[in-house]
Each structure stands twice: as structure tokens, then as C-alpha cells.
Amino acid sequence: MRWGCHLPRAPWGPGLGRALQPADERGPFLIHWSLPLREQRVLGPPRAFIRHHGSSADSDPPSGRPGQLFRGVAATEAVQRHRRNLAEWFSRLPREERQFGPTFALDTVHVDPVIRESTPDELLRPPAAELALERCPASAGLPPLALSQLFDPDACGRRVQTVVLYGTVGTGKSTLVRKMILDWCHGRLPAFELLVPFSCEDLSSLGSAPASLCQLVAQRYTPLKEILPLMAAAGPRLLFVLHGLEHLNLDFRLADTGLCSDPEEPKAPAAVVVNLLRKYMLPEASILVTTRPSAIGRIPSKYVGRYGEICGFSDTNLQKLYFQLRLNQPDCGPGAGVSATPAQHDNLVEMLSRNLEGHHQIAAACFLPSYCWLVCATLHFLHAPTPAGQTLTSIYTSFLRLNFSGEMVNSTDPSKLSLMAYAARTMGKLAYEGVSSRKTYFSEEDVRGCLEAGIKTEEEFQLLHVFRRDALRFFLAPCVEPGHAGTFVFTVPAMQEYLAALYIVLGLRKTALQRIGKEVAELVGRVGEDVSLVLGIMAKLLPLRALPLLFNLLKVVPRVFGRVVGKSREAVAQAMVLEMFREEDYYNDDVLDQMGASILGVEGPRRHPDEPPEDEVFELFPMFMGGLLSAHNRAVLAQLGCPIKTLDALENAQAIKRKLGKLGRQVLPPSELLDHLFFHYEFQNQRFSAEVLASLRQLNLAGVRMTPVKCTVVAAVLGSGRHALDEMNLASCQLDPAGLRTLTPVFLRARKLGLQLNSLGPEACRDLRDLLLHDQCQVITLRLSNNPLTAAGAALLMEGLAGNTSLRHLSLLHTGLGDEGLELLAAQLDRNQQLQELNVAYNGAGDTAALALAKAAREHPSLELLHLYFNELSSEGRQALRDMGSTTEGGARVVVSLTEGTAVSEYWSVILGEVQRNLNSWDRGRVRRHLELLLRDLEDNRGATLNPWRKAQLLRVEGEVKALLEQLGGPGT
């Protein structure tokens, strides 16, 4: 996985006569234009908005009748109600957009894509190559168009009445039109006094049922009933918007679609649209049409005044502007209190901008505004509080729903094949072949082979032609990296792994034997039963006893086929698990960090082009396979025409569970262990995860950067388990108080909890206090060393210790306690009666505080060991502590040096081990000073003893100390 927006396309579907519905999960944008918008509300002042690359607000009224047309009170009120209803309806956001913050709205965040004017000659010219995936070329002498220029006179000075905007999937047609409608609703489009939008998908659902233009308008926009007679007089100040023309099969031949100029005469919806475009009905009205490239030819060019190609964000500055506006939205949701700060948002945008400038492949992908949306959604998932149930797979599935919901390859084809199903079959095959052969660059022959596989009829070639023109650029892009000229890559690397996983879970990968079909096998089995029964009766009368035995063999066919399918699932599960646990990937970053680095770039020098290429990593492939089997993603894919049967999902899950049960017990490096947990998070099946992870006893995530989403992953997968964890190591994980709160359900199950080197301050001790006071806390060992807890944090910890009965070992090594912290511990140590070991070494404490704590430890009923070395103790203080620890009265042993009397302390290896582990994080000068004191102490004791065995031990420890001093750059003697 290497490098690794505009709002995505809004499907506007049918729904005549329904009441206005709240925003739910029925459709991405719930923009069903056919609904009668009857709700009334006062339209407040227009939002402050940012408009870039042209603004419809600056458009001048077209030539025609001047002045206001709807002057009557009733007419003016009808138009205002129409504006309010459209504004309320088109301002609604789906769940995928609500995640970006409570203030997010299309009015506040929008960047217009580049629109380039094209000519009919260019549209009719055949492409130079079958796989024409290059960016939109600039037409000679035709500069980019702003929205305000769409209806300007053409080069010859003729008035433009009909404009056709076309673009491939993902270029922003729907969002552009939606924003234009909202502009009109808020008075920022003064060129038109009335705007009437139609969804061609909605009109196509009516079939050939006759309806007049007035009826179509009145059914969808009730307030306009009162002014229907005035539409004919509106002239060019009336704008019809026909969105998604590819859904209508238009026929401009007079023999099939007769002329009609009466808006009140019932005709088939397609005939009404044809006469509007002919300018035979309401000839003065302005018309804006949006369509995919394959449907441009359905309108004869003589009826079109201007063609505009929506080219997306061909300017990198537009991409940066989009990211800046969207990523700086305030976070929302229950985790808003721990959301990213403005400085963190700015840092994300800055890193992304640098990567766009230096990494041309991600800039080529973000050429499509829809992929800009996907980049923002992924970054939001990685760095902002994660909504409950949101997974990486669900983001990609929702992204495809936003772009492909309701889309067919060709609406005129009888098969009515969904565009997403066609893409899964063709692009999924290419993606899976790339994953299986571990490659991400594809030649034209590779692409052509997957696209044309199995095509035999003219209808299939027509579907392929439409897919190439409309959607191929959405999935594939020309590679712009040096050394790979002439090859293609998936627009987003992770999309290759997603489509490969989709190809597998849909069962599209079949062997020759599987292609026989389950139905054929079952049919043979049923026929075999009937024939065997008849022959069994005949065999009693005739000597044909061998025939029933022969036909009984036919009964075995269904069982044999079932075993073949089962073995295929086992092979897929085996491949998935092996990909997840590849030893070659054991020491790379976890998949979430890999994805973040692919978007934001990697700090530091890049790999030299002459170096051998690294092996391709496809660690997201198994994650997506698990995610696609979840119930939510299966439901969304069913809406896209890609259903996954529940029984097939269950059998795949069982096969995966068997393989994970065998290979998942091995000890994994921290990053791979997190990947394993992330797979379970994507799968979203707690029972499955509980069974597979029942043998997990040690959770070692040391060194993994625990971002909010990773904390959510661990808590969601392990928080509901019942078995205890022997050890949970989260050292050097950059944890913060919010992460501690998220992980508390998992902490409650841990017996040993390591939180060293996490920069946890006093505020984190509040959460640790609550953890210790929890009635289900099982923590026996708590390591908090190398965190700036200070005395304030120690006071909170003592409150937790006072009510805790499980803790036995507590390490506060190098936590900045000072004299105040040790004195507080000494005063309150007796509030806990179970503690056995306390480590407060290297805390800058002096003689008085250390002696007070040592005295309290000696009097404690259960404390056995107290660590006080590396504190700021005088020679007298160290001797007093040695004397206190050497008494035989019982109580805690006090470890303050490498020696006990003239002998080596049995804890010398513990002390030097702590120094060795923290050599790079501690103050080197301070550590050197303490080691030099310990070295002199060892030398003095060696000179004071006559025991040769003790001398040898002291010499050995002296050697270890000198080695540490040499590492620190100090004198070794």
C-alpha cells in the first residue's frame, strides 16, 4: 500500500407524493427531487460562504424581458416558498458528511471544479487509445469556464440557452448542480427568477405514463401550482435543470417523438424533455443538463449552445484549498472534548500540501474531487474521534455508495446491470490478480485482458464501451512515477485491496470446476434420484441390477460440489491469513500508520531511485475481506447491486476462524498484533473475536503510536472480553488521558499494566485513580516510570491506592515527584495495606524525604521492597538508608546502591538494567554523575573487603558500570 473533495454524487431518486422524510440512511444525500416539499420555515440570512474559481453570484441577467416577472403578492410568495423548500431539502446531509462537524455545510465548504468548454468536433472525435485515461486536455483557445459564464453568449455572439455539462464518475457533477441550486435559493443567482430542477432518474421511473410539463412541476413542487401559467412568459429567466440525462432514453426522431409546444398536454416524460431541448416547448427557457460522457450523443448538437467538461481539480491549488476548508471544520460527537486542536488541523493540512507538491501520484488521484473526499474522510478516521461502528471498510463502502448508488452501466440496456457490479467483476479481477502476483503497476494488456474477459456479444461490447468512457478513470490512473511510463495504477492504492477483497467475497473468483454451477450439480442430483427410483423398480422385473448402482453415483454430485466450494473457501481463508501474518511484514508499521503515511507523506529522505524496489505490501487486503463480511457493509453493497448472501458470509467467516485459530496463537510483534486486532475491528463480530482471541494472554503494543482510532480499535475488540490478560504493555505509545479513558475497559482485565514513557501528566492520574478504585480492577503490577506525574499526580494515585485491593507492585521511577511527592507518599502509605513493592528511584528527592519514606516503608505491614537509588542523596543520607535497610527487624528492604555493606546488592542487575533501558531518554549528565558515585562506592567497598569472592563480584559490577559510562561518553575509570 503506497501513497498513499467536493461532496460526492447525490443520487436523486423517485418518490412521487411522499411526505418529506428526515435524514436517515435510505440514500446518501436523500435528495429525492420528486417529493412535494411542503414544509414551511423561515429562511434565515444566507450563510457566510466561500466560493472559489468563479461564482454564480456574479452572473448577470440574460438578455430578455427586464425587471421582475412574478410581481403579484401571491406569485412572489409562491416563489419564496419554493426557495425555502429547495433550500431545506438540499441542505440536508447524510451521515457520511455529518461526521465532519456540526458547522459543516455545502454553503460553507465548496470549491468549484474546473470546467473547460469543448466543441462538438472534440466530442465526436474517437479517442486516440482504447484506454484513454489522461487528464482533461485544454481545448485550444478555450479558457476554463466559471459558473457565471455558462450562459454567456458564445464566440459568435449568439445567446446560449442550453448548456450540457458532462464528466466521468467522481468529477463533481451532482455537487456542482446542488451548490448552484442552493445559490439560487439564497439569492446568489440573480440571473434567474425561477429554477426548476428535475432528476432524470426520477423521470425515467415514470416509464411511458403520460404527464404534462405542468403536471410534472406541480407534483414535485406544490408551491409552483399558482404560477404555472406565468412560466411561458418567464423567458430566459426560467432555468430548468435536468440532472443525470444518462437515465433517460431520448429519441429526437419525429416519427417516434412528435412535436408538442403545449406545457399542459400530457406526454411521456422523455417526450416532454425532448420537446424542451428542441426549444419547441417554452422556447425562451434556459436549460442546464448534466450527464456522463457516454450519453452526450443522445442530444443532437444543434440543440446545444455550449458543452462544458467538468475536469475536477486539475489545479493542485484547488486540491489544497479543498483540504484546508474541510479539514479545519470543528469536530463533533461525544468525543468532541478530545478532538484535534487547530494547530493539529493546520499540521495535517501542511503535511498533506507538502505531499501533494512532492508526490505527483496522490495529486493525480485528487484530480477527482470524489477522491479528495475519500482522503479527508480517511484522515478524519485516523486523527479525529471515531463515531461508533465506523470502520475503514465502511468508509470505502460508503464512498462507493455516494458515487454509484442507483447507477447502471447503460440505462437503455435490458440487463439493467449496476455500475458497481460491473466494476466489481472487471476492476475486481484486475485488483485481485495484482494482489496475488504482488504488483501495483499494470500494463495496457493487463487492463484490457480483465475488461474483455468473457465478452462475446455485441451488447457486452456496448456495456464495456460505456464503462470505459464513464467510470474507468474513476478506478485507474496513468502512473506518473519515474520508471513506470505507460503503466496504470489504481487511483488510490487502498482501492486495489478493497476491490480485490470484494471480488473474493462476492464469489466472482471461480475455478473451471466451480463454473459448472451449483444449480447444475443440484439438478443432476435430483435427476439421479428420480432415475434411480424408476430403474430400481424395473430391476425387480428385468436383470438390470447394475444400473441403479450406476445412477446412485449421481446423488454424490451435490456433495462433491459442496466440498469443492468448501475447499475453495478454505484456500481463500488460508491466503488471507498468510497475508496477515507474513514474516516479511513483521517489523514495518501497522496498517493505520502506513495509510496515514501514504496520504501525508513520510518525513525524511526518500528511497533513492537506483535502490532495489521494496516488496509490495497488501496488509489491507485481509482487513477489507473481514470488513466486507460485516452486516452493515453487506447491506450497503446490496443497495449497489453487489449482494453477499448471509450463508456465504457465514461459511467464509467459519473458514477464516479455523485458519486464525491455527496461526493466530503465535507471538506477534506489536505492529502485527495491532493489525490482527484491526482485522477483528473491521469484522465487527464480537462473538467471532471472543472465540478467536480467547487464547490471547499478553498484549504487547510497546512502541505503537496509540492514536485515538487505535485506542478505539483495542477497546472495541478486547473491552468486552471476559478472560484476564496476564500482561498489557503500552510503553512508548504516546498515550494521553483521552486514550487512557478509551482503554479503561481493557485495563480492568490486565494483571500487569505497563504505561512507561508516555508523557502522562497529573491529569492522567485522575483516570488512573478511577481505574484503581473500580470494583472490577485486577491490576497487580502498575508501571508508570518515565512519566511527568509530579507530586500532584502522586496525590491522586494515593487516593486510588487507598481504595484498591489488587495492586502489589507500583513503579514511579523518574516521575518528577521530588521531596514533596516522597513526603506525601510517606504520609499516606499506610492507607493501602496490600502493596509489596514501591519504586521511587530517580525522582530528585533529598535525604529528609527519602528517610521519611523509608521509615514509613519499614513500618508498612506488607511492603517488602523500596527502591530509592539515583535520588539526590548525600553520603550521609545513603549510609543512613543502608543502615536502615540492613537491620534485621523485618519490614521493607531499601535499595539505594549497588552494594549492601561490602557485598554486591542482589538488586544490582535491576538498577543497571533500568539505566540501560532508559539511557537515551534520561538526562545523560545526571545519569553519568550518579554512575560515577556508584563506581566510587564499588571501588571503596572492594578496597575494604578481604573476601576474594566479594572482590570478584565487585569487579564484575564495576565493569558493567564502566561500560555504561563509556556509552554515555564519560570516563571509564
Side-chain angles (χ1 to χ4, degrees):
M1 178 182 64
R2 294 165 295 103
W3 77 255
C5 327
H6 145 123
L7 298 174
R9 186 194 58 78
W12 298 322
L16 289 173
R18 301 179 199 158
L20 188 64
Q21 300 178 13
D24 53 21
E25 305 308 321
R26 292 190 48 200
F29 283 103
L30 295 174
I31 300 176
H32 301 275
W33 283 1
S34 56
L35 277 82
L37 306 174
R38 295 189 175 93
E39 291 190 11
Q40 305 295 323
R41 72 179 176 92
V42 179
L43 188 64
R47 287 179 180 268
F49 72 104
I50 300 176
R51 188 83 184 200
H52 299 275
H53 194 71
S55 171
S56 56
D58 299 329
S59 55
D60 297 323
S63 59
R65 180 183 297 180
Q68 186 175 357
L69 298 172
F70 305 105
R71 295 182 178 179
V73 176
T76 302
E77 178 60 27
V79 173
Q80 289 303 316
R81 279 188 287 139
H82 179 58
R83 289 180 189 268
R84 287 194 295 267
N85 289 343
L86 283 182
E88 181 177 353
W89 189 244
F90 282 90
S91 296
R92 299 192 175 197
L93 295 174
R95 182 189 60 187
E96 289 86 354
E97 294 293 2
R98 293 197 296 270
Q99 68 175 323
F100 286 107
T103 62
F104 175 81
L106 189 59
D107 281 359
T108 58
V109 179
H110 179 73
V111 180
D112 288 338
V114 173
I115 303 175
R116 298 194 182 276
E117 186 171 0
S118 55
T119 63
D121 293 339
E122 292 176 354
L123 300 176
L124 295 175
R125 186 185 305 137
E130 290 292 336
L131 298 175
L133 297 176
E134 66 276 359
R135 294 189 185 188
C136 306
S139 301
L142 296 177
L145 284 171
L147 284 180
S148 59
Q149 301 171 326
L150 291 180
F151 288 93
D152 285 355
D154 62 13
C156 298
R158 293 187 296 263
R159 181 158 59 93
V160 173
Q161 293 180 282
T162 301
V163 176
V164 174
L165 296 180
Y166 66 94
T168 59
V169 174
T171 50
K173 301 183 295 295
S174 298
T175 304
L176 191 68
V177 170
R178 186 174 176 219
K179 181 61 173 69
M180 193 173 183
I181 293 171
L182 286 175
D183 279 351
W184 179 82
C185 293
H186 293 301
R188 296 195 292 266
L189 198 60
F192 305 102
E193 290 196 24
L194 183 62
L195 185 147
V196 181
F198 281 113
S199 165
C200 294
E201 182 182 4
D202 168 32
L203 296 179
S204 69
S205 67
L206 301 178
S208 58
S212 69
L213 176 62
C214 292
Q215 288 174 332
L216 292 175
V217 173
Q219 286 174 350
R220 286 150 183 79
Y221 309 109
T222 306
L224 298 184
K225 283 184 178 180
E226 304 174 15
I227 60 172
L228 288 176
L230 302 176
M231 285 199 309
R237 300 180 72 97
L238 168 63
L239 175 62
F240 287 101
V241 178
L242 303 175
H243 177 65
L245 188 74
E246 66 272 4
H247 292 281
L248 279 178
N249 188 15
L250 303 182
D251 192 343
F252 280 78
R253 292 175 298 181
L254 290 175
D256 294 309
T257 306
L259 297 175
C260 177
S261 62
D262 186 0
E264 296 185 1
E265 181 178 349
K267 290 284 185 180
V272 173
V273 172
V274 166
N275 280 288
L276 277 174
L277 292 171
R278 283 173 173 165
K279 291 303 176 184
Y280 204 79
M281 184 184 295
L282 300 182
E284 295 295 320
S286 302
I287 301 175
L288 177 66
V289 179
T290 66
T291 183
R292 298 196 322 232
S294 63
I296 295 176
R298 297 183 188 180
I299 306 177
S301 59
K302 64 180 179 180
Y303 297 125
V304 180
R306 175 171 284 125
Y307 290 97
E309 182 176 10
I310 303 177
C311 296
F313 295 154
S314 55
D315 185 353
T316 307
N317 291 325
L318 294 179
Q319 301 172 10
K320 293 180 183 179
L321 181 60
Y322 179 91
F323 293 132
Q324 181 179 0
L325 293 175
R326 185 173 284 260
L327 292 176
N328 282 330
Q329 291 293 309
D331 297 315
C332 65
V338 294
S339 60
T341 64
Q344 291 171 323
H345 283 304
D346 293 341
N347 186 49
L348 281 181
V349 174
E350 178 64 25
M351 293 178 66
L352 183 54
S353 297
R354 286 202 303 268
N355 202 28
L356 285 171
E357 294 171 356
H359 196 169
H360 301 293
Q361 197 63 55
I362 185 175
C366 292
F367 160 72
L368 289 175
S370 58
Y371 276 106
C372 292
W373 183 93
L374 181 61
V375 167
C376 287
T378 304
L379 287 177
H380 199 270
F381 173 76
L382 294 175
H383 296 278
T386 305
Q390 186 185 58
T391 64
L392 187 64
T393 310
S394 70
I395 288 176
Y396 274 72
T397 306
S398 298
F399 167 69
L400 294 175
R401 179 177 69 171
L402 293 172
N403 285 278
F404 289 95
S405 180
E407 293 288 339
M408 293 175 289
V409 182
N410 188 355
S411 61
T412 63
D413 187 77
S415 65
K416 304 296 181 184
L417 181 64
S418 80
L419 190 57
M420 190 63 234
Y422 194 91
R425 191 179 71 196
T426 54
M427 293 292 97
K429 177 180 174 62
L430 180 67
Y432 179 74
E433 290 181 358
V435 170
S436 59
S437 59
R438 311 197 70 76
K439 70 177 183 179
T440 57
Y441 304 98
F442 303 93
S443 65
E444 186 170 338
E445 290 71 22
D446 296 333
V447 179
R448 194 188 306 277
C450 291
L451 288 175
E452 298 179 357
I455 293 183
K456 299 178 181 178
T457 65
E458 179 64 24
E459 291 76 13
E460 291 174 337
F461 273 107
Q462 288 298 324
L463 291 178
L464 174 58
H465 174 71
V466 172
F467 181 79
R468 276 175 172 160
R469 292 202 65 184
D470 292 349
L472 186 59
R473 178 62 180 85
F474 182 86
F475 294 102
L476 291 181
C479 182
V480 297
E481 295 179 4
H484 296 281
T487 61
F488 304 96
V489 295
F490 278 85
T491 312
V492 169
M495 184 60 74
Q496 177 181 352
E497 299 175 73
Y498 180 93
L499 291 173
L502 181 62
Y503 184 72
I504 294 299
V505 299
L506 288 176
L508 297 175
R509 177 180 175 269
K510 290 181 172 61
T511 62
L513 183 59
Q514 287 174 313
R515 280 193 286 270
I516 297 174
K518 186 176 181 180
E519 294 77 9
V520 175
E522 292 177 350
L523 177 62
V524 171
R526 288 196 298 270
V527 171
E529 292 176 3
D530 297 338
V531 173
S532 297
L533 179 62
V534 173
L535 292 180
I537 296 173
M538 294 177 62
K540 295 180 180 180
L541 305 174
L542 300 172
L544 300 174
R545 298 184 182 276
L547 289 178
L549 178 62
L550 178 63
F551 281 94
N552 277 337
L553 296 176
L554 296 176
K555 299 179 182 180
V556 183
V557 173
R559 267 177 285 172
V560 171
F561 181 79
R563 289 183 180 179
V564 170
V565 174
K567 287 190 174 295
S568 174
R569 291 196 179 96
E570 292 286 340
V572 170
Q574 177 77 7
M576 191 210 76
V577 173
L578 289 177
E579 184 66 44
M580 188 185 301
F581 295 113
R582 288 181 75 235
E583 292 187 7
E584 295 89 338
D585 304 334
Y586 268 16
Y587 298 101
N588 58 8
D589 292 335
D590 58 82
V591 291
L592 293 172
D593 277 353
Q594 289 179 37
M595 175 158 282
S598 70
I599 296 175
L600 299 175
V602 179
E603 297 296 328
R606 295 180 179 271
R607 184 176 58 85
H608 193 274
D610 295 336
E611 293 181 13
E614 299 176 358
D615 191 18
E616 297 293 348
V617 178
F618 296 100
E619 291 184 277
L620 275 176
F621 170 64
M623 314 300 171
F624 282 138
M625 274 196 67
L628 289 171
L629 293 176
S630 68
H632 170 75
N633 286 304
R634 285 191 286 115
V636 177
L637 287 171
Q639 299 174 14
L640 294 174
C642 301
I644 302 173
K645 296 180 180 179
T646 303
L647 183 59
D648 291 341
L650 179 62
E651 291 176 349
N652 276 312
Q654 290 174 343
I656 292 172
K657 183 167 66 175
R658 285 192 290 271
K659 297 301 179 182
L660 282 178
K662 295 178 180 178
L663 296 178
R665 296 188 183 95
Q666 56 185 300
V667 178
L668 299 173
S671 61
E672 291 298 305
L673 179 56
L674 183 67
D675 290 347
H676 188 191
L677 298 178
F678 185 60
F679 167 81
H680 289 276
Y681 178 76
E682 290 292 310
F683 195 31
Q684 294 282 296
N685 188 322
Q686 291 187 354
R687 181 178 177 182
F688 174 93
S689 300
E691 293 177 0
V692 173
L693 298 173
S695 60
L696 182 66
R697 288 293 182 269
Q698 292 187 337
L699 186 67
N700 180 17
L701 297 176
V704 175
R705 186 170 57 94
M706 294 300 291
T707 59
V709 66
K710 295 178 188 177
C711 293
T712 300
V713 166
V714 175
V717 174
L718 297 176
S720 58
R722 297 180 180 179
H723 69 277
L725 295 171
D726 293 338
E727 184 174 3
M728 186 172 182
N729 186 1
L730 293 174
S732 301
C733 289
Q734 302 181 33
L735 275 171
D736 56 13
L740 294 180
R741 287 191 291 273
T742 303
L743 292 170
T744 295
V746 188
F747 291 164
L748 292 173
R749 296 171 45 204
R751 300 187 186 279
K752 294 182 180 179
L753 179 58
L755 298 174
Q756 314 94 294
L757 290 164
N758 277 296
S759 301
L760 298 175
E763 63 278 5
C765 292
R766 298 182 185 276
D767 302 292
L768 295 173
R769 175 196 61 189
D770 297 339
L771 170 68
L772 294 173
L773 291 175
H774 199 285
D775 57 355
Q776 297 181 9
C777 179
Q778 304 180 41
V779 178
I780 296 176
T781 300
L782 178 60
R783 295 188 289 269
L784 296 172
S785 55
N786 297 300
N787 287 297
L789 303 181
T790 71
L796 293 169
L797 289 176
M798 290 309 300
E799 294 179 15
L801 283 174
N804 179 271
T805 58
S806 65
L807 195 65
R808 298 293 184 271
H809 308 275
L810 176 62
S811 176
L812 299 176
L813 169 74
H814 192 212
T815 52
L817 300 182
D819 289 339
E820 181 183 357
L822 264 65
E823 289 171 357
L824 188 146
L825 291 175
Q828 301 187 26
L829 192 61
D830 59 347
R831 297 177 63 185
N832 179 284
Q833 301 296 312
Q834 286 80 33
L835 198 63
Q836 297 177 359
E837 182 181 5
L838 177 63
N839 189 339
V840 289
Y842 198 12
N843 270 293
D847 295 349
T848 304
L851 288 169
L853 181 57
K855 182 179 179 182
R858 299 287 295 175
E859 297 172 354
H860 195 276
S862 61
L863 198 64
E864 299 174 358
L865 190 61
L866 175 65
H867 300 260
L868 281 171
Y869 46 87
F870 276 28
N871 279 293
E872 301 301 318
L873 305 175
S874 64
S875 301
E876 296 77 10
R878 285 196 298 274
Q879 187 58 47
L881 289 171
R882 287 196 196 96
D883 295 341
M884 185 180 295
S886 63
T887 58
T888 58
E889 300 173 358
R893 298 185 63 178
V894 181
V895 180
V896 70
S897 177
L898 296 175
T899 60
E900 293 180 0
T902 57
V904 174
S905 170
E906 61 180 293
Y907 299 102
W908 72 268
S909 60
V910 175
I911 298 174
L912 296 185
E914 291 285 0
V915 176
Q916 183 67 55
R917 281 191 296 272
N918 298 286
L919 207 58
N920 295 324
S921 60
W922 286 358
D923 183 336
R924 300 175 74 88
R926 188 175 173 185
V927 172
R928 184 185 302 112
R929 179 165 52 85
H930 281 290
L931 286 177
E932 289 171 352
L933 289 175
L934 293 177
L935 183 60
R936 284 199 296 270
D937 192 28
L938 288 168
E939 292 172 345
D940 292 344
N941 282 282
R942 181 163 54 86
T945 182
L946 299 177
N947 189 320
W949 174 247
R950 289 185 177 180
K951 283 183 178 288
Q953 287 182 313
L954 290 166
L955 277 173
R956 177 191 172 190
V957 178
E958 284 181 35
E960 298 286 344
V961 175
K962 290 177 182 178
L964 288 173
L965 284 170
E966 289 179 358
Q967 293 184 43
L968 289 168
T973 60

